[in-house]
Amino acid sequence: MAAIAESLFQGAWILLLCGTVLVVSVAATVFQVRRRSLAVPGGEPERSDQLFWDLFLGSAVALPALLIPALSSAWAGLFLAGAAVASGVAAYRGTPRIVAWLSLRRQRREYLPLHTAAQAEHSVLLERWRRYELDPAFCIDYPAMTDVRLPQTAAVIKAMREAEQLRAAGHQGYPPAVERFSRALADAEKAAGIPAGGH
């Protein structure tokens, strides 16, 4: 009785170990092949060579994990084959979502320093602009900077609002909006006769 229990335990352990290796290797292989097919092709020979190696390495791991339990029990082999097919289908269908999520994470990582630099620049520009609105000396010397009837001043107001909205939304268009705000403010200052560096 103890020998039967030990044999069943060993069989279950082998099935669990081989099943895990099989499912992971099939899912990883399908994911890798599908991910490459979704990417923009860089060169046809390199892609076919890479496809061969992806499939070769995946089968080198998956086939032994399927065959070892199948040799001891046909039912185990059939069960593992079904698990492998299910993991392959799941990986095939889930790859576009995973690739999109990874791409979004990478874009956010790359965007964060740009966003931080844009926030600092935006604060400097707002301080520069506020002087024309709040400092009586600047209001008297440069009235054109607060006259929204002038196209340059209207452009500053428009660019400033756009940058504020995109900043609040955390939008990826925020850094370019800050650049537009900077250019509009510089153009308005030039049109108002403010010497360069005089702000």
Side-chain angles (χ1 to χ4, degrees):
M1 190 67 143
I4 294 173
E6 185 178 342
S7 173
L8 286 173
F9 178 74
Q10 285 178 347
W13 178 248
I14 289 172
L15 186 66
L16 180 66
L17 181 65
C18 289
T20 304
V21 170
L22 177 65
V23 164
V24 169
S25 65
V26 168
T29 303
V30 170
F31 172 79
Q32 190 67 7
V33 170
R34 177 94 158 117
R35 184 182 66 83
R36 288 187 196 283
S37 72
L38 292 173
V40 178
E44 211 52 45
E46 184 183 21
R47 281 187 68 221
S48 61
D49 184 47
Q50 193 61 51
L51 176 65
F52 167 77
W53 285 110
D54 287 340
L55 292 174
F56 176 76
L57 292 173
S59 3
V61 175
L63 285 177
L66 176 62
L67 292 177
I68 290 170
L71 291 175
S72 63
S73 165
W75 289 107
L78 190 61
F79 172 76
L80 289 179
V85 169
S87 70
V89 169
Y92 182 85
R93 295 184 67 185
T95 298
R97 285 192 298 273
I98 294 170
V99 167
W101 177 74
L102 291 172
S103 175
L104 184 63
R105 280 191 63 197
R106 187 180 67 250
Q107 287 173 358
R108 284 183 179 161
R109 243 189 346 261
E110 293 169 356
Y111 171 69
L112 190 59
L114 296 174
H115 185 78
T116 305
Q119 282 182 316
E121 175 69 15
H122 192 183
S123 298
V124 169
L125 293 170
L126 288 174
E127 282 302 313
R128 205 162 108 197
W129 170 253
R130 283 187 189 118
R131 287 190 308 180
Y132 299 116
E133 286 188 314
L134 304 176
D135 189 325
F138 276 85
C139 287
I140 292 168
D141 291 342
Y142 309 109
M145 291 302 293
T146 53
D147 187 356
V148 291
R149 293 171 297 178
L150 298 173
Q152 292 87 354
T153 308
V156 170
I157 300 298
K158 182 181 174 186
M160 184 168 39
R161 283 185 185 153
E162 180 191 18
E164 283 293 338
Q165 288 168 352
L166 293 176
R167 180 181 195 168
H171 194 274
Q172 290 191 346
Y174 174 59
V178 172
E179 288 177 26
R180 288 191 293 274
F181 178 28
S182 176
R183 283 195 304 271
L185 184 55
D187 291 345
E189 287 171 336
K190 185 177 178 183
I194 300 169
H199 42 74

